[in-house]
Amino acid sequence: MSKPAIPREVYLQPGDLHFAGAGTRIRTLLGSCVSLVFWHPRHRLGGMCHYMLPTRGQPSTRLDGRYGDEAMLMLLEAIHARGTRPAEYQLRIFGGGNMFPNLRSKAHRHVGQQNVDMAHQMIAKHGLVNHGQHVGGTGHRHLIFDIWSGQLALKHSAHLSGSGRQTGVHSA
């Protein structure tokens, strides 16, 4: 499908998620946070979340997109509400950067790595397939997802030692 004349632009803040049809573009900016991106190539449906922490660690009656395990459940609910099955979607993972690489702790993994680990755990738990990822490292990622085509654009600004930064543009 070609680009809509006027696509609907959605910007995800931390804790947000959005699931929509072909006329939508979703953007976000990730540091240690992680985005799960689902795309259905035949129906041109898709969704993205932007979670901050792997889990809240205590049960709640209401799902919250700030937590990876709950954001995954919210996206799966949206998929089922559209009459589709999660296995029909291409799923990709982005983010999980180490935003403070100079603060090293041998006892704990940084929150970005914990977020990536949760994404992998949830994918395995729900029997899904990871079709690609751009995770870890340092710095932040600007991610754009065009649901009409499934095209993902990624700009990664990685921290280098010292004050310089390296920027790369990738297409997923």
Side-chain angles (χ1 to χ4, degrees), residues 42-88:
R42 189 166 48 101
H43 293 296
R44 307 284 187 215
L45 295 170
M48 179 192 298
C49 67
H50 179 149
Y51 69 85
M52 302 162 58
L53 296 168
T55 187
R56 126 174 42 194
Q58 55 191 358
S60 176
T61 57
R62 187 165 184 241
L63 295 176
D64 188 329
R66 293 178 294 176
Y67 307 99
D69 53 353
E70 297 180 41
M72 172 67 91
L73 293 175
M74 293 169 75
L75 284 168
L76 294 175
E77 285 179 358
I79 287 169
H80 290 296
R82 293 291 182 117
T84 55
R85 295 175 312 145
E88 298 171 343

Side-chain angles (χ1 to χ4, degrees), residues 69-108:
D69 53 353
E70 297 180 41
M72 172 67 91
L73 293 175
M74 293 169 75
L75 284 168
L76 294 175
E77 285 179 358
I79 287 169
H80 290 296
R82 293 291 182 117
T84 55
R85 295 175 312 145
E88 298 171 343
Y89 287 75
Q90 295 176 5
L91 169 61
R92 291 182 171 81
I93 309 168
F94 297 91
N98 184 354
M99 299 309 294
F100 305 101
N102 295 330
L103 299 177
R104 299 202 175 160
S105 169
K106 294 184 182 196
H108 300 288

